[in-house]
Structures are given as structure tokens and as C-alpha cells.
Amino acid sequence: VEFLYCDLASMKSIRQFVQRFRAKNYPLHVLVNNAGVMLVPERKTEDGFEEHFGLNYLGHFLLTNLLLDMLKQSGTHSHNARIITVSSATHYVGKLHLNDLQSRCSYSPHGAYAQSKLALVLFTYRLQHLLTANGSHVTANVVDPGVVNTELYKHVFWVVKVVKWMTAWLFFKTPEEGASTTIYAAVSPEMEGVGGCYLYNEERTKSADVAYDEELQRRLWTESCKMVGISDEASRLP
């Protein structure tokens, strides 16, 4: 096991991480996008992005795109490289505000968090479409880990914290249980060559209807490229 530092809330840190990883000349067979914050007070990343959208979504969007060529080189016809992105059931109530992705007009911690998780699902579906169009041996899937007992809840209201403390053993998954679907997506033979799926409890399930809107997927992808400063090569594809 080797550790390389990467701050997903910093575009500079992400680019530095990718440079360090490239220098090692390792193949890249599995990428798990799992970092996140939840219900944080209104604040910005060092790049000026609203923190939920900047860290939960844009950080993973940039990291994945910068590593995409290495994933394509590492995947083969019989053993595809795999991208697994961790979203949340919260995406079902999320709304994507393309004209206000930074939640500047009216900030709601719940709304901003849900939007970032919906963006991850839209991103995954668009990414799989592009990978398929290019004939790449890479698959992209999105995972809902369920309600997991982690420090992600440190910004919730104190009453919720008390309830969580009292009922976590009954209603919350352990971190190990929460990781099971991500691991399934990363290594299961059943998922070989299978992409564009929303997975919950190691089963394919339906995501929010809006997540299947291909025009919305395209528009979010294009806008995301502008925000992180990369070229939108996908604009030349259907």
C-alpha cells in the first residue's frame, strides 16, 4: 500500500497528485471516487467553488478526466478498467441548477449536497456513453452505499446527532458494510464489462428519472469542463 496526498477541494492539488502518480508509471485498473462533505455551512474551496459542488463533484470530475488516458491504457477486452463513483440516495431529491451551480442565489446545505450527488450520477452516465463511443475498455458505474455510520454527519443539527448516536447500531451500516457495494463494483466478475449502472446493496437499481436526461448530462459535462479548465473533447462526439 502506498499513499499519495490529494486534496479533492483543490484543483492544484489534484493536478499535482496526477503528476506524481504518472511519474510512477503504474497501470491504473480501478478508480474509486469517494471523498465528500455533507451539510457544511456556506463556504468556498480555494478555487472559489461552493464546497459541496467543488469537492464532492468537480474534484472527482477533474481527477477522473486527468486519469482517463491511464485507465484506457490499463483496460483490456477481458479485464476492463473500472471507475466507481459514490453518490447517495439524496440524489433522488436533488435538483441541478445549471444557471446557479454554486448556489449563490439561495444557499441550502441540503440542496447543495443533493445537487452534488445528482451531478455525480449524471456525470457517470455521460462518462459511460463517451467511453462506449470511443470503444474504450473502461467502465463507469455509480454506487449508493446506504446510510453509513461515519463522520460525514458531523455538520447535522445536534438533535439529529443524538438520534444517530442512539440508533446507529440499528439503522446505520458500519463502514465495512457501507463499502461492500463499492467493492462489488470494483472487483466482482459479474460487473466485468458492465457500465452505466446505479448500484445499491450490490444490485443494479433505478436512479432518479432526471439522471437519464442525456441533454442535461451533456450540458453539465460541458459546463464542468469550463469550470475546471479542461478541453471538452466530448463535444465532438454524439
Side-chain angles (χ1 to χ4, degrees):
V1 176
E2 192 169 343
F3 175 82
L4 293 177
Y5 178 81
C6 181
D7 179 359
L8 269 294
S10 165
M11 302 294 117
K12 179 180 179 181
S13 178
I14 294 168
R15 292 180 183 277
Q16 290 175 338
F17 163 81
V18 171
Q19 285 182 338
R20 289 193 295 268
F21 183 75
R22 284 181 180 279
K24 293 182 177 295
N25 290 317
Y26 290 154
L28 179 56
H29 299 106
V30 177
L31 172 64
V32 178
N33 293 317
N34 187 51
V37 292
M38 184 175 75
L39 308 185
V40 296
E42 186 173 11
R43 60 194 188 197
K44 296 180 179 179
T45 67
E46 66 177 46
D47 301 288
F49 301 125
E50 186 278 314
E51 190 167 356
H52 289 99
F53 196 77
L55 194 162
N56 295 3
Y57 170 65
L58 285 178
H60 292 120
F61 179 85
L62 178 61
L63 178 67
T64 302
N65 274 280
L66 294 181
L67 293 174
L68 207 50
D69 60 336
M70 300 183 72
L71 286 155
K72 291 177 180 178
Q73 293 166 13
S74 303
T76 66
H77 178 72
S78 58
H79 290 89
N80 281 236
R82 304 186 188 189
I83 301 167
I84 299 94
T85 297
V86 180
S87 182
S88 162
T90 312
H91 92 275
Y92 287 106
V93 297
K95 294 182 179 180
L96 195 77
H97 302 285
L98 276 171
N99 295 324
D100 186 26
L101 292 172
Q102 304 301 319
S103 303
R104 292 191 178 103
C105 292
S106 60
Y107 181 77
S108 159
H110 294 84
Y113 177 70
Q115 176 179 244
S116 72
K117 291 301 179 178
L118 173 59
L120 289 170
V121 183
L122 289 158
F123 155 67
T124 299
Y125 292 165
R126 180 60 179 166
L127 176 59
Q128 183 58 57
H129 173 81
L130 298 174
L131 291 167
T132 301
N134 279 310
S136 303
H137 298 306
V138 184
T139 59
N141 290 295
V142 61
V143 165
D144 173 2
V147 183
V148 187
N149 190 12
T150 69
E151 289 299 308
L152 191 63
Y153 297 86
K154 64 183 179 181
H155 292 289
V156 299
F157 191 55
W158 71 268
V159 173
V160 179
K161 288 184 180 179
V162 172
V163 174
K164 173 180 175 289
W165 177 75
M166 295 173 64
T167 62
W169 64 275
L170 183 61
F171 298 112
F172 285 63
K173 293 182 178 181
T174 65
E176 290 78 11
E177 291 169 338
S180 65
T181 302
T182 297
I183 296 170
Y184 172 80
V187 301
S188 170
E190 288 87 0
M191 294 303 295
E192 177 55 47
V194 178
C197 297
Y198 185 85
L199 302 169
Y200 176 65
N201 284 344
E202 300 181 16
E203 293 183 357
R204 302 177 210 179
T205 188
K206 189 174 181 295
S207 62
D209 290 339
V210 68
Y212 299 103
D213 185 333
E214 294 183 0
E215 177 61 22
L216 189 60
Q217 294 168 16
R218 280 193 289 266
R219 291 177 65 190
L220 175 62
W221 185 282
T222 298
E223 187 61 28
S224 301
C225 288
K226 294 177 183 176
M227 295 173 83
V228 301
I230 60 176
S231 61
D232 183 10
E233 297 178 4
S235 62
R236 295 191 290 271
L237 294 170

